[in-house]
Amino acid sequence: MSVVLFKAILVVLLFLISLGIAAYSTYAERKVAAFLQDRIGPDRAGPFGLLQPIADGVKMFLKEEIIPTLSDKFLFILGPSIFMVTTLMVSAVIPWGMPLEFGGEIYALQVADINIGILYILGVVSLGVYGIMIGGWASNNKYALLGAIRASSQMISYELAMGMSVVAILLMTNGSLSLNNIVEAQGTGKLYGFINVSGMNWNVFYQPVAFLIFLICAFAEANRTPFDLPESESELIGGFHTEYSSMKLGLYLFGEYINMFISSAVISCLFFGGYNFPGIDYLGTILPHNIVSIISLLVMFGKIFFFIFLFMWVRWTIPRFRYDQLMRLGWQILMPIAIVNVLLTAAAITLFGN
Amino acid sequence: MNSQIIFFILAALSIMSALFVVFSKNPIYSVIWLIVCFFTIAGHYIMLNAQFLAIVHIIVYAGAIMVLMLFTVMLLNLNKATEPHKPLLYKVAAMVSGGLMLLVLLASMRSTELGPYAAPAYSESGFVQNVGMVLFTEFLLPFEMTSVLFIAAMIGAVVLAKKEIH
């Protein structure tokens, strides 16, 4: 099997997994909400309501599709398409697990190991806002336009703090921007220089502040509560997707869940060691290489699922911010903290070495 | 050979999208074509082994500046009915400056020698580490001057936007 074929299969698999996880995130969200509010949640379709996402999907596809008469039809369709494409594009640079080995050839579980991985993620994320803006404007509806404007100013504001918090991580991995290198660096060396557990040298233990900033910014970038002002239904009806119906609305809702999935993956890679887990070296000595790779893949997905749960947990716990509070948090609190964090990290590395 | 084909496709796309920017009747479409144009230019950077420049180009121009541009155009609500008629002087001035620009371009094109297409050799000079190295050693002074310029612009913007305290 050639590497190109393997990558092609990986791309298709990632696409299907992203969609599958997004579909079941909608189910999980309702179950988590029900759990947190002491309800039962969806339980009619299939055992434990497990077929609910399929029922929802069929409903979405079969609904009548309405395109407002005074909307810009081309841009109205372009909006959700851009949103979906950009959310799916990020998964290309994420290392999902340790490389597999078949017949002496090594197959990395990563579509593209480019040496500007982090910048690629920031770039693609910054493009996601076009989907929302174009969709919101093309609807020719003032609520949609307001939602789109809120979304874009929010995403631009939080991108800065997000970028600054990542700089601290980059300083720690000798300036490598490749996600693969960042994850590998967290699998080697001792924690704080003396705790000798293999695969436990995670960045979160050195950079808790950067992690918190990144997490908050990830919530804002994914338009999740407490930062879901672009679609706050009590003020803007539905925000940027007010006029959308049928599967175009479905794409926006799906895109949000894929965003959550991908942000969880990025958070795991940057701060929680990616596919590394405690005792990974020991397992490597007693089990075949490929089995360890598959375990590392499962561990990675375990971490991702935990963060998806965190996203939902926060959504059903914390109320929405007011718009001026959101801006103040982004510019006057997170930005300065992120900059100071970068300076402190740089100073610490200069003084004490790594 | 392959890179030549990619280059021609990219070049054609760049020119086409740039023309659409000018000829689109709707300003929103102009902005969107400009974004497409920036992407094709980023493609040219990648062809020249300048990965870092390409991705920064996308983040800064397509991801930030054009978002603000789109923002402004959306809020202005431009359409035919509200378009004011510009005085004759403006039109003449625009024509003269455009003509002068054309003259400069033609003059510079006349003296360029167009050799055969050569695929750029693979080099690592465009990688982040190497760009950073050059930027912070050889070109440190211009780099710092640029950041001072940016700070001046930022302070200016803050002063202009600040509300008067009564």
Side-chain angles (χ1 to χ4, degrees), chain A residues 122-186:
Chain A
L122 290 177
V124 174
V125 165
S126 67
L127 294 176
V129 70
Y130 284 117
I132 294 178
M133 278 186 90
I134 290 174
W137 182 80
S139 306
N140 199 12
N141 173 324
K142 55 187 157 198
Y143 293 111
L145 183 63
L146 276 174
I149 285 166
R150 278 184 177 188
S152 45
S153 46
Q154 171 180 329
M155 282 168 97
I156 294 174
S157 310
Y158 278 78
E159 248 161 45
L160 294 170
M162 191 179 216
M164 293 305 286
S165 68
V166 172
V167 171
I169 297 296
L170 299 181
L171 284 172
M172 293 186 49
T173 43
N174 285 324
S176 174
L177 298 181
S178 151
L179 272 179
N180 201 21
N181 289 358
I182 293 174
V183 171
E184 271 173 8
Q186 296 176 66

Side-chain angles (χ1 to χ4, degrees), chain A residues 81-156:
Chain A
S81 327
I82 293 180
F83 190 64
M84 198 67 181
V85 167
T86 48
T87 48
L88 284 169
M89 263 165 67
V90 184
S91 58
V93 292
I94 292 168
W96 298 98
M98 278 168 70
L100 292 170
E101 217 180 303
F102 291 114
E105 274 199 77
I106 291 171
Y107 298 99
L109 286 175
Q110 182 185 21
V111 177
D113 183 16
I114 49 178
N115 77 351
I116 43 170
I118 281 291
L119 287 177
Y120 171 86
I121 291 178
L122 290 177
V124 174
V125 165
S126 67
L127 294 176
V129 70
Y130 284 117
I132 294 178
M133 278 186 90
I134 290 174
W137 182 80
S139 306
N140 199 12
N141 173 324
K142 55 187 157 198
Y143 293 111
L145 183 63
L146 276 174
I149 285 166
R150 278 184 177 188
S152 45
S153 46
Q154 171 180 329
M155 282 168 97
I156 294 174

Side-chain angles (χ1 to χ4, degrees), chain A residues 199-258:
Chain A
M200 202 51 202
N201 199 15
W202 297 353
N203 281 332
V204 68
F205 297 122
Y206 300 97
Q207 294 286 350
V209 179
F211 163 64
L212 276 180
I213 295 171
F214 193 90
L215 187 73
I216 295 171
C217 294
F219 276 93
E221 292 283 324
N223 288 330
R224 291 284 300 182
T225 326
F227 306 109
D228 68 338
L229 288 128
E231 44 174 295
S232 57
E233 50 287 273
S234 53
E235 303 159 30
L236 295 180
I237 308 179
F240 58 90
H241 52 57
T242 304
E243 293 285 357
Y244 280 90
S245 57
S246 182
M247 204 51 210
K248 287 207 267 307
L249 173 66
L251 284 183
Y252 272 128
L253 300 182
F254 247 60
E256 186 185 319
Y257 285 100
I258 295 177

